[in-house]
């Protein structure tokens, strides 16, 4: 099996874990922690990274990342539903 | 500067464009094609969250307090993680229960409480109306700014428009009309508005596009990108705007409070709930919206900081930062961009006002107006009233906002009303989330929790805001009420060190959640609440764990048409008929075209749900309840006959054990009477019936009482009944279906009614005793004098099953009875026959004894006769009558038939003959006289006699004879090989009274043989059905003529037997042989 498709396969398998309700809740809680004290204190400094204020940078990067995670969730749910449907069909047969 | 005409013209054109979009969407929707039913439109419509508060306010906030503006949009992104289970559950529940608003949702969850719905509505109207005011204010302000009114430079808070009436009044009017046209054009069964959603989605695109345009313009045209802006700003300002927690900045608590408030607001704000839940067309859209909506939020906030900082750099400060979006492009000489931004801001305001007004007016109508209206009698003009009330509601909500902003004007409140509103709706959070997942959460908890939370919100947040705005000159903030510092609104119970937001959030939610939990644990839910809990908490499990049996009943049956009439009054006739025909599709319909009694509660719930789609669950519940009570009916719990609540079991343990006991009764014995007695006793004891009885149909087609247990009710337990359709008993038997009445007051068959009411029967059931696919053998009836509504679906099913088992037992018993009877009949017949046979034997003996025992001794004559009867008694007869030493009369006769009758006639003939023979001498005279004497008897008995009468005198050797139709005897002369038939004319005896008989005579010589015989010999048949005939007989005698008469007869019989090959004789055989020696 070529390396690339192996990698995709592995990613797909990991994605499936996202179907679990637990994963949603864990990430939801994680999101709250990351926008709260004390986590936020790490970035709440008078510093700039290549001219951009640190906290602003953190939020403006962290935000799209969390949206991307939700996007992955969305894909994972789609995959799981497909599989459930297949499973149901098998059982029916 | 732009001319007011241009701005108004563009705005109106834009409004017309939105109208066109909305109208198109509605038109498509009516045609059955939805342009809004896709995740794109759904995600865009959720962006109604971004109001002018976002569009203008974010920049203002970013320029004054810093990054905390982002929290209002970060919160929803975090919440999006939970949408797939939380929001989806809410959407599912809302759809299955026809929920119309968040107030409806909460009130439905807690037992369709009218009070709770009203409470939520009131809080929303107080908490949200100011929010509407901000929108109107923002549009009119921006309008003034863009048209160049002089005081535009002044910051938002201190600004008063010269023409507030004109701008915001007309705006309010236009938005109200828009809301009415697309939110309340006609009555609908569900609160869905395709046109409205389409318009909102378009507005969201416009908002985003215009904001991004301004953002790109400021960041990349006025400046050289983000870093350029950051580097131009002095570092102190930069860091004070991009960090927090230091003096003068917002603190951590405020940061968190804002984050939590916005997390709740994304679902709890009425307009968000409306768009997310009520207008959702497909649960799958949630999945897409989960990331699309945050992306929208991210994009619209991307340029907030650059615009804010750009504005500060360009204007030299943050004064008027609220309108940087407009003023920055304008200042840099791009008024068209300002116009674009104005349209974006207008979109944000219009979208919010329209959805909010529709959502809030729905609540206003359903939870404040309807509770009053439902107390009135439903009338035909109700649909008109309702739709107009809703339209009025929209105007009311929008104009409340208008009046609010007009009266309060520029105050502190307007700036912060966004968060104040968030904090108000946050009070619904505990009741909503708790209601979704916590079964014990009850109405008392929700009511008190929300009330206390609301009061805390009012006291710690709204009141200080009003005071700060200068509305009320008081020192309550500094010194507390009546100087009690302990109760200071901003430091309640001495809680200090928090800002106003986190302080208020803490106290309101602490009290809210605390009381909700305590009340829910301490107090009980009533039945109605529990029913709703199942619908909410178990919404995803519902199909699996559906209660198999109805646990409610209507005390008086209501017809389908009555329900349709009721629905028509609230949703119009057309929709009502559509709804009912959808519902009735595959339901059980009973004999009178209505639904079965067990189906009624389901129908009632359906009607309630349908009406709920228009007026909300609480009002719908009240409407249906009051309608039913007008009809004299109401819902009540079924009588729990098994004594346990069966929630999810297929069948209760008690029911199974009943079946088991019944089976034992049936298998213990084959005696039907015992089975019936035991079964009735079991039923009576187990269910407390006053009378149980079994009637079986008898041969005459009457229902006869076979057994009964319990009190003897004479008309019921005594009569045989002919099954007739006008009694419930007859109906049950004839239709072979269960007939039961749960309340004898509502009986429809007058004959039964009279009887049963007189006997004090409250409920009863007739269950046909029938095997599957067979007509019933009887009816099992049970009566109760005490319990109304005893017969539930499971009980009826159980009784049916027992009746089925009983039918089996009856069938077996009937079969056995039939077999037994057959066996006895056979036995009897055998006995009978044996008796007859015996009697026949006796008769035969008697008959045989009538034949001469031995022939008389006549000189020169050998004589012998023999009779073999085929049946036991026969009609053959022969006799010798000796006259003197030398002469003898020989007679042979045959009575037709072989019956007793023939034998009797034979014996009569013998008696008559014997008597006659003494008096008469000639053969002819004897036959003639005999005929006359027997004629009457023979014709009466319809019998005949053939007879041959011969007289022989040994002296004269003369044989004189007469024949009455008998077989002619054979005369075999000595030495001759042929036979001569002795013939004489004469009619059979019994045909005519006086016929003529011929008398003939013949001389017999030594060695001659005469054979007298009956037709039994000649008519004996071979296997080929050939008759023995006279020729064979003649031949046999010729061959054996030398033998003694007895031996001749033996030879004849042997020959006949050989000929017929052992076949038994069909007829009697008699022979007399006369041999002259």
């Amino acid at each position: 099996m070529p390396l690339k498709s192996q990698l995709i396969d592995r990613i797909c398998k990991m994605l499936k874990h996202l179907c679990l309700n637990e994963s949603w809740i864990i990430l939801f809680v994680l999101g709250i922690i990351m926008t709260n004290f004390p986590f936020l204190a790490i970035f709440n400094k008078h510093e700039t990274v290549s001219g951009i204020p640190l906290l602003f940078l953190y939020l403006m990067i962290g935000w799209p990342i969390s949206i991307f995670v939700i996007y992955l969730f969305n894909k994972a749910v789609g995959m799981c539903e497909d599989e459930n449907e297949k499973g149901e069909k098998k059982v029916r047969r | 500067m732009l001319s007011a005409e241009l701005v108004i013209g563009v705005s109106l054109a834009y409004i017309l464009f939105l109208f066109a979009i909305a109208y198109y969407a509605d038109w498509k929707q009516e045609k059955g094609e939805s342009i809004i039913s896709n995740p794109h439109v759904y995600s865009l419509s959720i962006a109604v969250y971004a109001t002018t508060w976002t569009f203008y306010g974010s920049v203002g906030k970013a320029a004054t307090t810093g990054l905390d503006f982002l929290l209002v949009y970060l919160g929803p992104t975090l919440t999006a993680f939970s949408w797939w289970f939380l929001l989806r559950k809410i959407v599912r529940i809302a759809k299955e229960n026809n929920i119309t608003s968040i107030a409806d949702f909460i009130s439905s969850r807690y037992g369709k409480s009218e009070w709770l719905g009203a409470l939520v509505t009131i809080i929303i109207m107080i908490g949200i109306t100011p929010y509407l005011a901000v929108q109107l204010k923002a549009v009119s302000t921006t309008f003034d700014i863009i048209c160049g009114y002089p005081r535009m430079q002044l910051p938002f808070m201190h600004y008063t428009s010269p023409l507030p009436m004109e701008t915001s009044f007309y705006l309010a009017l236009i938005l109200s009309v828009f809301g009415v046209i697309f939110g309340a054009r006609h009555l609908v069964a569900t609160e869905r508005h395709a046109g409205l959603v389409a318009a909102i989605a378009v507005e969201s695109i416009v908002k985003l596009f215009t904001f991004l345009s301004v953002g790109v313009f400021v960041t990349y045209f006025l400046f050289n990108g983000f870093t350029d802006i950051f580097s131009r700003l002095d570092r102190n300002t930069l860091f004070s705007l991009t960090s927090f927690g230091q003096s003068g900045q917002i603190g951590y608590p405020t940061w968190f409070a804002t984050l939590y408030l916005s997390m709740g607001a994304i679902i709890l704000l009425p307009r968000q709930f409306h768009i997310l839940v009520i207008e959702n067309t497909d649960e799958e859209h949630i999945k897409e919206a989960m990331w699309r909506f945050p992306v929208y939020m991210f994009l619209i906030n991307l340029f907030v900081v650059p615009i804010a900082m750009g504005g500060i750099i360009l204007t030299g400060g943050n004064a008027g930062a609220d309108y940087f979006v407009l003023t920055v492009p304008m200042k840099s000489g791009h008024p068209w961009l300002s116009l674009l931004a104005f349209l974006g801001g207008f979109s944000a305001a219009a979208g919010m006002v329209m959805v909010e007004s529709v959502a809030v007016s729905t609540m206003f109508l359903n939870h404040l107006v309807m509770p009053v209206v439902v107390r009135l009698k439903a009338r035909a003009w109700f649909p008109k009233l309702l739709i107009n009330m809703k339209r009025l509601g929209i105007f009311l909500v929008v104009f409340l906002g208008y009046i609010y902003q007009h009266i309060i004007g520029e105050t502190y409140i307007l700036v912060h009303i966004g968060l104040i509103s968030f904090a108000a709706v946050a009070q619904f959070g505990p009741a909503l989330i708790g209601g979704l997942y916590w079964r014990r959460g009850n109405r008392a908890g929700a009511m008190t929790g929300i009330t206390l939370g609301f009061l805390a919100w009012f006291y710690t947040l709204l009141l200080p805001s009003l005071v700060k705005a200068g509305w009320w000159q008081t020192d309550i903030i500094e010194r507390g009420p009546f100087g009690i510092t302990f109760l200071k609104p901003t430091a309640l119970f001495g809680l200090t060190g928090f800002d106003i937001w986190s302080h208020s959030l803490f106290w309101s939610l602490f009290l809210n959640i605390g009381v909700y939990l305590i009340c829910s644990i301490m107090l009980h839910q009533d039945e109605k609440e529990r029913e709703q809990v199942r619908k909410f908490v178990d919404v995803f499990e519902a199909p699996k764990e559906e209660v198999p049996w109805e646990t409610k009943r209507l005390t008086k049956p209501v017809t389908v048409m009555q329900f349709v009439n009721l629905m028509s009054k609230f949703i119009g006739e057309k929709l009502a008929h559509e709804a009912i025909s959808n519902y009735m599709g595959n339901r059980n319909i009973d004999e009178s075209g209505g639904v079965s009694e067990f189906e009624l509660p389901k129908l009632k719930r359906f009607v309630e749900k349908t009406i709920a789609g228009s007026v909300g669950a609480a009002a719908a519940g009240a409407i249906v309840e009051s309608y039913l009570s007008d009809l004299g009916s109401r819902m009540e719990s079924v009588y729990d006959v098994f004594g346990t609540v069966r929630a999810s079991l297929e069948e209760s343990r008690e029911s199974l054990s009943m079946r088991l006991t019944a089976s034992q009764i049936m298998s213990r014995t084959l005696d039907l009477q015992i089975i019936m007695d035991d079964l009735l006793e079991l039923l009576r004891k187990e269910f407390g019936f006053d009378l149980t009885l079994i009637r079986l149909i008898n041969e005459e087609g009457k229902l006869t009482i076979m057994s009964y247990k319990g009190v003897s009710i004479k008309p019921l337990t005594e009569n045989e009944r002919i099954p007739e359709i006008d009694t419930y008993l007859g109906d049950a038997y004839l239709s072979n279906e269960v007939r039961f009445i749960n309340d004898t007051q509502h009986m429809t068959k007058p004959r039964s009614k009279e009887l049963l009411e007189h006997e004090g029967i409250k409920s009863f059931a007739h269950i046909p005793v029938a095997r599957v696919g067979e007509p019933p053998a009887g009816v099992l009836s049970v009566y109760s004098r005490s319990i109304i509504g005893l017969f539930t679906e499971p009980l009826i099913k159980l009784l049916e099953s027992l009746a089925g088992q009983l039918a089996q037992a009856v069938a077996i018993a009937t079969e056995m009875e039939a077999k037994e009877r057959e066996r006895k009949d056979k036995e009897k017949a055998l006995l009978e026959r044996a008796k007859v046979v015996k009697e026949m034997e006796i008769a035969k003996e008697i008959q045989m004894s009538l034949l001469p025992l031995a022939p008389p001794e006549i000189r020169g004559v050998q004589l012998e006769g023999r009779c073999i009867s085929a049946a036991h008694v026969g009609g053959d007869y022969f006799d010798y009558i000796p006259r003197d030493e030398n002469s003898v009369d020989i007679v042979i006769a045959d009575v037709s038939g072989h019956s007793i009758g023939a034998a009797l006639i034979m014996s009569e003939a013998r008696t008559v003959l014997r008597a006659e023979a003494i008096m008469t001498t000639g053969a002819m005279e004897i036959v003639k006289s005999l005929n006359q004497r027997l004629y009457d008897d023979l014709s009466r008995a319809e019998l005949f006699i053939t007879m041959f009468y011969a007289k022989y005198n040994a002296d004269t050797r003369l044989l004189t004879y007469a024949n009455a139709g008998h077989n002619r005897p054979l005369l075999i002369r000595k030495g001759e090989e042929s036979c001569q038939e002795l013939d004489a004319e004469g009619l059979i005896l019994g045909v005519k009274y006086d016929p003529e008989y011929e008398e003939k005579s013949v001389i017999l010589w030594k060695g001659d043989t005469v054979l007298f015989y009956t037709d039994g010999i000649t008519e004996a048949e071979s296997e080929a059905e050939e008759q023995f005939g006279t020729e064979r007989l003649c031949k046999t005698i010729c061959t054996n003529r030398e033998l003694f008469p007895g031996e001749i007869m033996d030879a004849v019989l042997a020959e006949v037997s050989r000929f017929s090959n052992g076949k038994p004789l069909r007829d009697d055989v008699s022979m007399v042989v006369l041999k002259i020696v």
Side-chain angles (χ1 to χ4, degrees), chain B residues 809-947:
Chain B
V810 171
I812 290 170
T814 318
E815 218 165 85
M816 276 180 37
E817 220 168 78
K819 269 190 185 158
E820 181 72 5
R821 201 181 308 128
E822 201 180 318
R823 194 180 62 78
K824 277 189 179 154
D825 281 356
K826 256 187 192 165
E827 216 167 61
K828 207 171 153 194
L830 273 174
L831 260 171
E832 240 0 76
R833 234 178 106 197
K835 223 167 155 187
V836 168
V837 165
K838 201 171 175 205
E839 268 162 25
M840 292 289 266
E841 292 281 347
I842 294 166
K844 187 185 170 186
E845 267 171 40
I846 292 169
Q847 195 186 17
M848 284 299 168
S849 71
L850 293 180
L851 297 175
L853 272 177
E857 293 284 332
I858 306 286
R859 185 173 38 85
V861 168
Q862 287 178 353
L863 188 63
E864 200 166 344
R866 191 171 292 175
C867 178
I868 298 127
S869 52
H872 289 279
V873 286
D876 280 17
Y877 164 63
F878 71 90
D879 209 351
Y880 325 109
I881 306 165
R883 294 286 180 175
D884 52 48
E885 277 178 7
N886 294 322
S887 65
V888 62
D889 289 4
I890 300 160
V891 63
I892 186 158
D894 184 1
V895 183
S896 59
H898 315 99
S899 56
I900 299 271
L904 286 173
I905 289 291
M906 191 218 101
S907 67
E908 186 192 359
R910 178 179 174 273
T911 316
V912 174
L913 181 69
R914 289 228 161 176
E916 204 61 37
I918 298 162
M919 295 182 283
T920 332
T921 47
M924 186 265 281
E925 281 88 19
I926 289 175
V927 171
K928 203 172 171 172
S929 142
L930 197 64
N931 180 47
Q932 281 172 2
R933 283 173 190 271
L934 291 176
Y935 177 77
D936 283 345
D937 290 348
L938 284 172
S939 45
R940 208 176 302 125
E942 292 182 347
L943 290 170
F944 307 103
I945 302 176
T946 62
M947 177 179 280

Side-chain angles (χ1 to χ4, degrees), chain B residues 2 4 6-12 14-15 52 55-56 135-147 167 171 206-207 210-211 214 323 325-327 329-330 335-350:
Chain B
L2 295 161
L6 178 72
V7 177
I8 291 170
V10 169
S11 303
L12 282 180
Y14 178 62
I15 290 168
T52 53
F55 201 84
Y56 299 122
Q135 311 302 320
L136 299 174
K137 183 85 199 164
V139 174
S140 62
T141 309
T142 52
F143 176 77
D144 292 347
I145 291 171
I146 202 169
C147 294
T167 324
L171 182 69
V206 171
K207 274 189 292 196
T210 52
F211 199 86
V214 176
Y323 298 107
V325 182
L326 281 181
T327 51
M330 208 182 265
W336 54 271
L337 198 57
S338 299
L339 183 60
L340 210 58
F342 170 77
L343 281 185
F346 175 77
S347 296

Side-chain angles (χ1 to χ4, degrees), chain B residues 441-459:
Chain B
N442 67 10
R443 181 169 57 220
M447 279 291 284
T448 47
I450 292 176
T451 310
L452 270 184
F454 171 69
L455 290 177
W457 167 82
F458 186 86
Y459 187 68

Side-chain angles (χ1 to χ4, degrees), chain A residues 24-25 27-28 31 35-37 40-41 44 46-47 50-51 53 55-56 60 63-64 67 70-71 74 77 81, chain B residues 70 77-78 81 85 227 230 239 242-244 246 252 255-256 259-260 287-288 290-291 294-295 297-298 305:
Chain A
W24 294 83
I25 294 164
L27 287 170
F28 177 54
T35 48
N36 260 325
F37 183 85
L40 218 48
N44 191 10
H46 291 192
E47 278 168 31
S50 53
L55 185 62
F56 179 71
M60 292 317 259
W63 195 359
I67 294 172
I70 299 176
Y71 174 78
N74 170 34
V77 167
E81 274 173 1
Chain B
L70 269 181
T77 305
L78 285 176
F81 276 101
F85 49 94
T227 39
F230 291 132
F239 286 125
T242 56
S243 66
F244 63 96
Q246 268 128 40
Y252 278 106
W255 181 274
F256 307 138
L259 187 68
Y260 293 137
K287 215 160 63 181
E288 292 293 315
M290 274 163 52
W291 65 272
V295 165
M297 290 286 108
F298 176 74
V305 172

